[in-house]
Amino acid sequence: MSIAFLFPGQGAQFVGMCKDIAAEFPAAARVFRKGDEIVGFDLSSICFDGPAEELNTTATSQPAIFLTSAAILEVVRTSGVGEELVADVTGGLSLGEYTALYAGGLIDFEQGLLLVKRRGELMQAASEASRGAMVSVIGVDEGNVRELCREAGAGELLEPSNFNCPGQIVISGSESACDRAVRLASKYGAIKAVKLSVAGAFHTEMMSSAAQALAGALSECKIGEPGDVKVIANVNAEYYRSSDDVVKWLTEQLTSPVLWQRCMERLIADGVEKFYEIGPGRVLTGLMRRINRKIRVVNISSADGLKNVIGS
């Protein structure tokens, strides 16, 4: 049976995430201590105790989610069920793709954490230099979403940025265009359109300055070649074939749409039968219900969830 590990992206964070796991599993606590040393501040206490205003910033939430997912993954790896619970393929939503590459052995823990810290800082800076926003459009297909973007854009940037699941597409662009999209969405059949609490227009050309700087940071990293564990990429739903792909596709990811639905459909078509969401929240578990109701995702985001999986 083929197994996939899935890792969440920005937006999954919440104050208190992994606090119960770190308290109960020494392997997770060690990962948090190591993470604090690498980033140079008490990131674990922000994950465990907040404040929410700090955790929810782009610059902090990205390394916090990576660290949380890595800590849970470490418990799974060292729990004694390793031979039975080993991923054949990994994938992650946006930021989560870095965790997937770490889990797949292409980047090490320190590099991954420092990369997502840098990525968060660059995206925060790019957002502050522009006036961008994102809107989740519910109940509309791709064709109507593109028509909505054309009308609401009114000559300004507005385009699909996340194809999450059937009936849920996120659009990104200028703040004024996003505001118009919220008002116009029902005209195109939307059940609702919700402006997201994010710093800017992620996965569009508004992140081009961040992408250029990130490409430099990635080129300086030691990136391994793909091995036995496949890793699927957000930008094209293809598996990484080389270390060069990592630099290219992660750079493109900042300015290109996230094709999450297509990634999951590819994994199912390729024979993955069991999925585990490893990290804070249940976002990916919920999306899979909309993508394919027959697929069950085992969610590992709490101490109880971990015990159910590892049998302790």
Side-chain angles (χ1 to χ4, degrees):
M1 179 173 61
S2 192
I3 292 174
F5 286 175
L6 306 179
F7 300 95
Q10 189 173 344
Q13 75 277 357
F14 61 91
V15 172
M17 61 185 187
C18 214
K19 187 173 185 176
D20 59 338
I21 293 173
E24 197 154 339
F25 295 94
R30 286 193 295 271
V31 171
F32 274 102
R33 287 195 296 271
K34 185 177 178 183
D36 289 344
E37 292 172 7
I38 290 168
V39 298
F41 64 95
D42 196 356
L43 181 58
S44 58
S45 73
I46 298 173
C47 293
F48 300 158
D49 302 311
E53 295 76 17
E54 174 65 16
L55 177 62
N56 290 335
T57 64
T58 299
T60 302
S61 64
Q62 296 201 19
I65 293 166
F66 178 93
L67 182 56
T68 296
S69 296
I72 299 171
L73 178 64
E74 184 66 13
V75 178
V76 172
R77 283 175 166 174
T78 60
S79 63
V81 296
E83 290 187 9
E84 297 131 42
L85 192 55
V86 174
D88 300 290
V89 61
T90 65
L93 179 62
S94 189
L95 159 73
E97 192 164 334
Y98 289 76
T99 327
L101 287 162
Y102 162 62
L106 278 76
I107 55 177
D108 66 25
F109 174 73
E110 182 170 352
Q111 275 192 148
L113 183 56
L114 290 175
L115 273 173
V116 298
K117 179 176 180 288
R118 183 67 177 140
R119 181 181 186 267
E121 292 166 350
L122 291 169
M123 291 173 71
Q124 185 80 38
S127 298
E128 290 170 359
S130 60
R131 291 184 60 82
M134 301 178 77
V135 174
S136 179
V137 184
I138 308 298
V140 183
D141 62 20
E142 180 178 346
N144 281 327
V145 163
R146 292 193 184 277
E147 287 298 322
L148 169 62
C149 287
R150 273 191 279 274
E151 181 176 355
E156 297 181 332
L157 177 68
L158 186 65
E159 60 193 25
S161 57
N162 294 70
F163 293 92
N164 289 333
C165 67
Q168 187 189 116
I169 298 173
V170 177
I171 59 178
S172 300
S174 72
E175 191 162 28
S176 54
C178 285
D179 289 338
R180 288 192 293 270
V182 171
R183 294 195 298 270
L184 290 168
S186 60
K187 174 181 174 181
Y188 292 90
I191 297 169
K192 63 179 177 178
V194 181
K195 200 169 178 183
L196 301 180
S197 298
V198 295
F202 301 158
H203 304 296
T204 71
E205 64 186 47
M206 283 190 171
M207 293 292 111
S208 58
S209 61
Q212 291 169 11
L214 181 64
L218 285 164
S219 66
E220 294 173 1
C221 287
K222 183 180 179 182
I223 300 170
E225 297 297 327
D228 293 337
V229 181
K230 294 179 179 179
V231 183
I232 197 164
N234 284 189
V235 295
N236 52 21
E238 297 291 339
Y239 301 113
Y240 282 97
R241 304 158 304 193
S242 70
S243 57
D244 290 340
D245 285 345
V246 176
V247 177
K248 184 174 186 292
W249 293 351
L250 286 182
T251 301
E252 290 177 359
Q253 192 217 73
L254 280 188
T255 57
S256 303
V258 169
L259 308 179
W260 186 252
Q261 179 181 337
R262 193 188 302 177
C263 286
M264 295 303 98
E265 290 170 343
R266 172 73 185 271
L267 295 185
I268 294 166
D270 287 351
V272 177
E273 296 176 342
K274 196 151 192 181
F275 292 80
Y276 292 83
E277 180 178 6
I278 299 175
R282 305 181 63 86
V283 172
L284 305 183
T285 303
L287 293 181
M288 184 62 86
R289 287 198 198 100
R290 299 289 302 276
I291 294 168
N292 189 321
R293 281 197 164 276
K294 295 179 181 178
I295 300 296
R296 178 172 174 257
V297 179
V298 178
N299 183 274
I300 312 178
S301 58
S302 65
D304 286 343
L306 258 174
K307 289 174 188 174
N308 287 338
V309 168
I310 66 177
S312 71

